[in-house]
Amino acid sequence: MTLAEPAPAGQRSDAPAARAVELRKTYGSGAATVHALAGITVTFDRARFTAVMGPSGSGKSTLMHCMAGLDRPTSGQAYVGSLDIAGLDDSDLTQLRRDRIGFVFQSFNLVPTLSAGENITLPADLAGRKVDRDWFDYLVTQLRIGDRLSHRPTELSGGQQQRCACARALINRPDLVFADEPTGNLDSNSSSEVLEFMRRSVTEFGQSIVMVTHDPRGAAFADRVVFLADGDIVDELAAPTADSILEHMRTLG
Amino acid sequence: MWRVTLKGLLAHKLRLALTALAIVLGITFIAGTFVLTDTLHNTFTSLFGNVYQNVDLQVRGVAQLGSSGGSATRNALPQSLVASVRAVPGVAAAEGSVQGLNVQYVSPQGKAISTGGAPNIGVSFDPDQRVSALRLAQGGPPTTPHDVVMDLGTAQKYGFKVGQTVRILLPFAPPADFTITGLARFGTANNLAGATLAAFDLPTAQAILNRVGTVDSIDVVTSPGADKARVQRAIARILPPGVEVVTGQTVANEQTSAINSALAFFNTALLVFAFIALFVGGFTILNTFSIIVGQRTRELALLRIVGASRRQVFRSVLGEAAVVGLLSSLIGLGLGVLAAMGLEALLGAFGVTLPSGPLVFEGRTVVVCLIVGVGVTVVSAISPARRAVRIAPVAAIAEQQTEADIPLRRRFTWGAGITLVGIVALAYGLTKPLIELVGLGAVLIFIGVARLAPAVARPMSSVIGRPMAGMLGMSGRLGRENSMRSPRRTAQTASALMVGLALVSAIAVFGASLSGSAVSSINDALNADLIVTPVSNVSGAVPNAVVPVAAAAPGVTASSSIYTGKFELKGELNTLTATSTKDLSKTVNLAMAEGTSGSLAAGQLLIDTTTASAKNLHVGNVVPVTFAETGRSTMRIGGVFKANALIGRYLVSDGFYRAHYASTELPVAVLLRTDGSPTAEAAVTHALSGYPNLKVQTKAQFEQSQRAQVNQLLGLVYALLALAVIIALIGIVNTLMLSVFERTHEIGLLRAVGMRRRQVRAMIRSESVILAVFGAVIGIVVGTGLGIALSSSLRSQGITDIVVPVSSLVVFLVLAAVLGLIAASWPARRAARLDVLAAIASE
Ligand SMILES: Nc1ncnc2c1ncn2[C@@H]1O[C@H](COP(=O)(O)OP(=O)(O)O)[C@@H](O)[C@H]1O
Ligand SMILES: [Mg+2]
């Protein structure tokens, strides 16, 4: 099978970027059973910026991990494009993550022995693929890290590190980027920079992004907010603003 | 605090096990060596006690040359003395006996029977079982000149039965067939540590061993109730000069101590390798504890914050080391006993059947193993413990983890200083020569170089890793970066392998120089086309009857026999060589530096250039000499020849030799010159077809076999050094495991962004190969230096050519890389199996 659907922008199939159907993830057994995901069904559209919110322990990270091929659901299906990833083995999942998904984590995003530039091209290098130089230059210029490329991660500020992580997430032009609290450790200035870049990448070249966040102001950059509680979707909000999100959170309690 | 130590240990069982393994292996080696040699010692003591238990007194020649123990040279006694001794009041029985070497059985398949160089002994069979060392197990004693009693060991191994005929190769007569009348044990043993034994009646034995009319010794049993001391004095009164009478106990003690000094050498040699293994193990311990202290910086700092004193932290680390050392030593002791049993079985498999006895487990073995095991572990942990003490309490809350380390400059100064002291000690030890000082020098050089290694670790890893990055892409790239990450860790891990490879390389250089020198000097000295030598080159000789047969073969134009014998020169025990003078120049090329080779025929002594300069001797000097059979006299030095491995240091004519070694005169080799016809070799081989104990070689084959002998020895040393290399590899495994554990998160991240398992494995393997090659490169450089130093210092002993066996060294390097790959397999698998999610989540 081939995982890489030929997917230059604009020619992609009509399938949504990713989709979960009746996704269930259970930890433990008996009295100690925890339903991290309680049969969740959700669709993430193409060229859309979706924020996932919810209290701690509501299953946000678990949802992301199961949909990104980092973890296996107990039952249900997860699709990336039209590909059901439940049937993939470790090798195929690795290739899927490398070629079709981008990641930004809350911290420890970069390999300490590689320079910033090498970290950005890491997925391409792992695939043994030539880096699209124009694309690379565009990303580092947009993210204002062009003068930091030869530095090691320890020599970068937290904001610069997260911007490198963003560039790395996008370098392979993935179908979908998952970001798990990417601004959780950043001050508000750095946060805005990262969030503005993500917003632009959705608007300007149709990137699909799913971002987990606690911050209503961050979620306000998204096109749509999905609210999770106890492993299922309890509500959602289109074209959110910080105020409307706060309002919603209050009503949800 | 003690509880913290124990908890720390139990929390990391794997780490504990890997660290312990290095010590366990070393201690196993030591314990095994002690148990084996103690057991052998015990066995031989009781064996000889048993053999001589009924012999009250023994009459024998006074020791002539050198030592006076069981291996001394003694002259034969006139057979008439037996009757005189028998007539002494209080003597119940007295039997003369003879014994000699090179009495060799031919197997049913036509092969000469020999066990790994053990002697082939021929003896007279004492009809009186009281004085006989042989105990008949089956059949009866030999009574005719065609009878033989065979040792039970040989009979069992080759399926000989009483009544069968066996062909025997004899030293002073052509091969002959004998009827086996009985099978015997030597005391309680089926044979004497692999030696074969053929017993004949006394007249036959005398004829076979060239002892007609003489006996080697007379064993005496005193009458019941007689005062043994008084009988001994009475016998002593009738003995001619040069003959003595001693108690059976004395003889047993001498035999035992002769075996024991051989065992002591064996013991020391094995212990040297055991200590090398432990020394390498020490590096592994040092490294592991350094990494552990590094990884536990936060925890240790926290302990300091809550009130642990520096001393408590220090003791906690050393305590952990002591527990590891103690456990490893105990396990090692147990395994050592198993290893001794295994070794004994292995020797048995080679045909060296040892008299069975219980394994001897001395208290000393336990004490030495515990002290050494705990000692090495604790001493190795001192430096990491001191580093732990330097951890500031704030490290517990600090963002950045910085490892406390000695400044590079100080480390460099120390390293260079220790290396220099080591070089001086080594050089002085080599010139003296003082073997202990050589060893100390080598140890200091290793420690010094290990301290210097971190300074070059980064650039060297970078260079070594470059091709890997080129070949393996990102995986190789990351492996290289990881190896450059902590120069100290890389250097310490590599240092263990450095020591192992340095020793291997030093031995390789030494061996190549040794065989190179031997071959080139033999090449220069040998004019003969064919060389006849015994198959077993340890104790064998060429039967006398062979010389005329070989010389008469078609195509042979000249022949000379080479003999060797012991003598004293200026009171010092030496070995001389003798050769026929008639066709000397046709078979041997003596490059004379002084005098002429013609002086040989005049009964003069020729010496080699090395001896001449060492003893400051010149042509015309007259030196005092002593021969066992003929006593003291003087010899004139008639010439000095260029040193060569074929002849050795002293040379006399065969005529002179026959006059002074009448009873033992057997060539060790026969050199033949041919007319150059290609059929000559086949003709000689055919003429000697009745002698399966001999081999005929061309000059090229002879050189090759000289080389092979050195290589065989090298192989043995390599095998013994293998343990040190294995321990060094365990060190690499250990470091990689700890690194993988430390980089869990990083590996998880790499996996998340698309690194395949295969690529993870390649990354860890690259790092391992870099570590191994780094250690190997330093080791080979240091070892080549050591080997050259060692070989140069033995120039006067005949090592004239210094040969650096480049191809062998390259093989070592490649082998090190392969071993690095093997060492990486487990850590690489572990890294590849890491649960991506768990790795990412462990924030
Ligand atoms: N490996 C695990 N073992 C057991 N329970 C887990 C594991 N991972 C997550 N959980 C549980 O699943 C639930 C959802 O976790 P998570 O997806 O991390 O929540 P969030 O990211 O929204 O804070 C929580 O109750 C958490 O305790
Ligand atoms: Mg989470």
Side-chain angles (χ1 to χ4, degrees):
Chain A
M1 72 181 293
T2 168
L3 294 171
E5 295 169 23
Q11 282 188 354
R12 287 176 174 167
S13 65
D14 292 334
R19 195 156 60 91
V21 180
E22 283 293 310
L23 207 56
R24 207 174 277 280
K25 179 73 181 179
T26 315
Y27 289 110
S29 59
T33 308
V34 175
H35 298 284
L37 295 179
I40 198 167
T41 299
V42 66
T43 301
F44 296 122
D45 290 328
R46 284 193 186 283
R48 299 270 280 174
F49 188 174
T50 312
V52 179
M53 298 191 75
S56 181
S58 57
K60 305 184 293 291
S61 296
T62 308
L63 175 66
M64 213 189 83
H65 293 154
C66 288
M67 296 191 69
L70 283 169
D71 200 0
R72 290 183 187 281
T74 309
S75 66
Q77 283 88 46
Y79 296 90
V80 171
S82 53
L83 179 69
D84 183 357
I85 67 171
L88 302 185
D89 63 11
D90 180 83
S91 167
D92 292 335
L93 283 176
T94 304
Q95 198 178 333
L96 174 85
R97 293 197 299 267
R98 191 183 72 196
D99 298 337
R100 296 184 56 188
I101 295 174
F103 288 98
V104 183
F105 300 105
Q106 183 173 351
S107 56
F108 294 117
N109 260 304
L110 305 179
V111 178
T113 46
L114 297 180
S115 68
E118 289 167 335
N119 263 292
I120 294 171
T121 57
L122 185 58
D125 287 336
L126 285 172
R129 198 182 299 135
K130 260 201 130 48
V131 177
D132 180 342
R133 271 294 139 192
D134 294 337
W135 181 229
F136 177 87
D137 291 339
Y138 174 77
L139 287 175
V140 299
T141 314
Q142 285 285 309
L143 286 159
R144 300 193 305 106
I145 44 176
D147 56 341
R148 287 281 178 275
L149 292 178
S150 59
H151 290 58
R152 295 274 167 119
T154 46
E155 299 160 343
L156 301 179
S157 73
Q160 286 165 337
Q161 287 185 27
Q162 288 307 74
R163 286 184 339 246
C164 281
C166 288
R168 183 196 58 210
L170 266 69
I171 192 72
N172 272 351
R173 300 180 192 269
D175 290 14
L176 184 60
V177 169
F178 285 107
D180 196 349
E181 304 189 32
T183 58
N185 283 346
L186 300 183
D187 60 43
S188 59
N189 270 344
S190 304
S191 293
S192 307
E193 243 172 323
V194 168
L195 292 164
E196 277 161 15
F197 171 76
M198 295 218 252
R199 178 67 256 173
R200 261 203 316 282
S201 65
V202 173
T203 317
E204 288 175 18
F205 39 84
Q207 181 62 55
S208 319
I209 297 180
V210 177
M211 174 181 75
V212 172
T213 183
H214 279 302
D215 176 17
R217 279 184 301 129
F221 281 85
D223 299 311
R224 169 191 176 212
V225 182
V226 176
F227 292 95
L228 252 62
D230 297 329
D232 206 351
I233 294 180
V234 287
D235 200 359
E236 62 170 277
L237 193 64
T241 64
D243 290 340
S244 66
I245 293 168
L246 274 172
E247 187 75 12
H248 243 85
M249 286 168 76
R250 227 171 280 130
T251 56
L252 284 172
Chain B
M1 202 62 195
W2 188 232
R3 196 175 310 147
V4 174
T5 305
L6 288 181
K7 283 251 172 70
L9 274 172
L10 291 176
H12 304 101
K13 291 190 201 71
L14 181 72
R15 181 174 88 195
L16 175 73
L18 272 172
T19 313
L21 198 54
I23 295 299
V24 167
L25 288 177
I27 295 296
T28 301
F29 202 156
I30 293 187
T33 301
F34 274 132
V35 171
L36 184 67
T37 49
D38 287 346
T39 302
L40 292 179
H41 170 103
N42 204 41
T43 312
F44 283 113
T45 307
S46 71
L47 176 67
F48 284 111
N50 175 288
V51 164
Y52 289 99
Q53 68 186 2
N54 295 322
V55 176
D56 295 316
L57 301 169
Q58 188 181 69
V59 178
R60 64 185 189 185
V62 170
Q64 290 298 328
L65 301 175
S67 70
S68 58
S71 57
T73 313
R74 298 173 193 281
N75 288 330
L77 317 171
Q79 191 165 2
S80 57
L81 197 57
V82 179
S84 318
V85 171
R86 238 177 235 148
V88 172
V91 172
E95 293 289 345
S97 64
V98 294
Q99 61 170 297
L101 299 176
N102 301 303
V103 178
Q104 198 168 6
Y105 292 111
V106 178
S107 73
Q109 291 76 34
K111 290 257 186 312
I113 292 176
S114 126
T115 311
N120 305 112
I121 304 171
V123 296
S124 59
F125 188 89
D126 283 314
D128 190 331
Q129 280 283 299
R130 280 179 299 178
V131 298
S132 177
L134 296 178
R135 316 259 185 270
L136 271 176
Q138 290 172 36
T143 49
T144 77
H146 306 292
D147 290 349
V148 67
V149 164
M150 182 184 268
D151 64 279
L152 200 54
T154 304
Q156 283 174 348
K157 192 167 168 195
Y158 292 92
F160 286 112
K161 302 261 181 311
V162 172
Q164 260 182 317
T165 302
V166 61
R167 174 161 285 246
I168 302 182
L169 303 162
L170 303 171
F172 295 95
D177 289 335
F178 291 81
T179 305
I180 302 171
T181 60
L183 304 178
R185 292 194 175 88
F186 183 82
T188 48
N190 286 356
N191 69 22
L192 184 54
T196 66
L197 212 134
F200 310 91
D201 67 6
L202 183 60
T204 308
Q206 285 171 321
I208 284 173
L209 297 169
N210 197 23
R211 299 279 212 293
V212 175
T214 64
V215 294
D216 289 332
S217 59
I218 303 168
D219 291 331
V220 175
V221 180
T222 56
S223 314
D227 179 354
K228 286 176 193 166
R230 175 173 293 178
V231 178
Q232 186 177 6
R233 282 196 298 275
I235 294 175
R237 273 195 290 277
I238 66 150
L239 294 180
V243 182
E244 64 184 1
V245 55
V246 294
T247 63
Q249 189 59 51
T250 304
V251 179
N253 291 348
E254 283 174 3
Q255 302 280 354
T256 310
S257 73
I259 293 248
N260 283 346
S261 62
L263 276 181
F265 175 78
F266 178 61
N267 190 40
T268 310
L270 286 181
L271 284 183
V272 164
F273 287 100
F275 280 105
I276 289 172
L278 273 173
F279 181 62
V280 171
F283 276 96
T284 303
I285 304 276
L286 169 71
N287 191 31
T288 309
F289 275 87
S290 297
I291 299 175
I292 290 170
V293 166
Q295 291 180 349
R296 279 167 62 187
T297 300
R298 237 177 241 283
E299 179 193 331
L300 291 169
L302 193 67
L303 285 173
R304 291 295 308 284
I305 285 184
V306 300
S309 71
R310 276 170 181 255
R311 184 184 300 179
Q312 280 173 313
V313 168
F314 189 74
R315 282 216 209 118
S316 159
V317 175
L318 282 199
E320 185 166 337
V323 172
V324 171
L326 187 69
L327 287 178
S328 321
S329 306
L330 289 174
I331 298 171
L333 268 169
L335 290 179
V337 175
L338 292 179
M341 279 163 32
L343 258 169
E344 215 176 8
L346 195 72
L347 286 174
F350 278 114
V352 186
T353 52
L354 296 164
S356 61
L359 279 184
V360 178
F361 195 66
E362 300 264 359
R364 181 259 283 120
T365 309
V366 180
V367 173
V368 169
C369 286
L370 288 187
I371 289 179
V372 171
V374 175
V376 167
T377 320
V378 170
V379 168
S380 305
I382 284 179
S383 154
R386 286 182 34 202
R387 198 168 299 135
V389 162
R390 276 198 294 270
I391 294 171
V394 291
I397 40 176
E399 260 298 305
Q400 199 79 32
Q401 297 272 319
T402 48
E403 276 184 40
D405 195 9
I406 333 170
L408 211 61
R409 176 193 292 264
R410 218 174 101 198
R411 162 178 285 277
F412 193 79
T413 318
W414 266 103
I418 295 173
T419 311
L420 265 177
V421 172
I423 291 174
V424 170
L426 184 88
Y428 189 72
L430 282 176
T431 48
K432 260 311 204 189
L434 258 176
I435 187 74
E436 290 86 358
L437 208 54
V438 174
L440 180 71
V443 166
L444 288 179
I445 290 175
F446 290 144
I447 293 176
V449 170
R451 292 200 72 131
L452 289 175
V456 293
R458 201 184 283 272
M460 285 213 23
S461 307
S462 164
V463 171
I464 297 167
R466 186 154 304 164
M468 236 140 335
M471 258 173 345
L472 296 171
M474 191 35 84
S475 312
R477 187 65 235 281
L478 284 166
R480 175 179 174 218
E481 291 294 338
N482 286 337
S483 70
M484 291 164 65
R485 213 164 176 165
S486 167
R488 196 183 60 219
R489 181 183 299 187
T490 300
Q492 277 174 355
T493 309
S495 289
L497 196 61
M498 178 266 288
V499 175
L501 267 142
L503 292 169
V504 170
S505 311
I507 294 298
V509 171
F510 175 67
S513 302
L514 186 67
S515 68
S517 306
V519 167
S520 77
S521 71
I522 287 176
N523 207 10
D524 290 347
L526 198 60
N527 269 352
D529 300 310
L530 296 174
I531 299 97
V532 180
T533 50
V535 172
S536 151
N537 38 32
V538 181
S539 61
V542 179
N544 248 350
V546 163
V547 179
V549 175
V556 173
T557 57
S559 84
S560 58
S561 307
I562 306 284
Y563 305 86
T564 65
K566 284 184 181 159
F567 78 121
E568 278 179 16
L569 183 127
K570 291 182 166 178
E572 186 185 296
L573 189 65
N574 276 298
T575 302
L576 58 68
T577 306
T579 174
S580 345
T581 47
K582 191 162 72 69
D583 288 327
L584 181 64
S585 64
K586 290 183 185 154
T587 53
V588 176
N589 177 25
L590 280 182
M592 299 304 294
E594 249 184 274
T596 63
S597 56
S599 58
L600 263 188
Q604 297 185 353
L605 178 67
L606 261 54
I607 59 176
D608 74 347
T609 44
T610 310
T611 311
S613 64
K615 296 196 184 297
N616 194 24
L617 291 173
H618 298 283
V619 171
N621 288 159
V622 174
V623 288
V625 291
T626 309
F627 295 95
E629 292 181 23
T630 56
R632 289 167 196 280
S633 64
T634 57
M635 284 187 88
R636 183 176 182 276
I637 291 173
V640 177
F641 59 90
K642 185 165 167 266
N644 72 72
L646 182 70
I647 296 296
R649 301 163 66 185
Y650 304 95
L651 182 65
V652 296
S653 70
D654 58 343
F656 181 93
Y657 183 82
R658 273 191 206 101
H660 293 83
Y661 295 88
S663 65
T664 53
E665 174 211 324
L666 276 184
V668 291
V670 178
L671 309 180
L672 303 173
R673 184 67 176 266
T674 67
D675 57 10
S677 70
T679 54
E681 185 190 349
V684 173
T685 307
H686 179 74
L688 299 184
S689 58
Y691 294 90
N693 55 340
L694 296 181
K695 57 179 185 248
V696 180
Q697 292 176 305
T698 62
K699 194 173 168 183
Q701 287 169 335
F702 184 67
E703 276 174 24
Q704 192 50 45
S705 71
Q706 298 291 313
R707 237 186 260 279
Q709 265 181 52
V710 174
N711 287 344
Q712 204 177 355
L713 201 68
L714 285 189
L716 187 68
V717 176
Y718 288 156
L720 288 167
L721 283 174
L723 185 64
V725 174
I726 289 174
I727 289 179
L729 289 183
I730 293 173
I732 294 184
V733 175
N734 209 353
T735 300
L736 291 175
M737 289 304 281
L738 291 168
S739 295
V740 166
F741 164 76
E742 203 173 81
R743 296 175 200 150
T744 300
H745 191 90
E746 192 179 317
I747 295 167
L749 172 68
L750 284 165
R751 293 276 290 132
V753 301
M755 184 178 248
R756 289 168 175 281
R757 286 196 166 140
R758 180 163 42 76
Q759 290 173 308
V760 174
R761 287 195 292 265
M763 173 175 78
I764 306 288
R765 288 200 192 109
S766 317
E767 183 177 357
S768 181
V769 168
I770 292 171
L771 282 174
V773 171
F774 174 47
V777 167
I778 307 184
I780 289 171
V781 169
V782 172
T784 304
L786 286 179
I788 292 176
L790 180 64
S791 307
S792 314
S793 75
L794 293 174
R795 184 171 288 275
S796 66
Q797 305 292 311
I799 299 194
T800 46
D801 303 7
I802 304 293
V803 182
V804 176
V806 177
S807 57
S808 301
L809 298 183
V810 170
V811 169
F812 296 157
L813 193 64
V814 173
L815 219 58
V818 173
L819 291 175
L821 271 183
I822 295 171
S825 52
W826 187 31
R829 225 183 11 240
R830 236 183 127 90
R833 290 243 179 96
L834 270 183
D835 181 1
V836 184
L837 207 57
I840 298 173
S842 68
E843 281 176 21

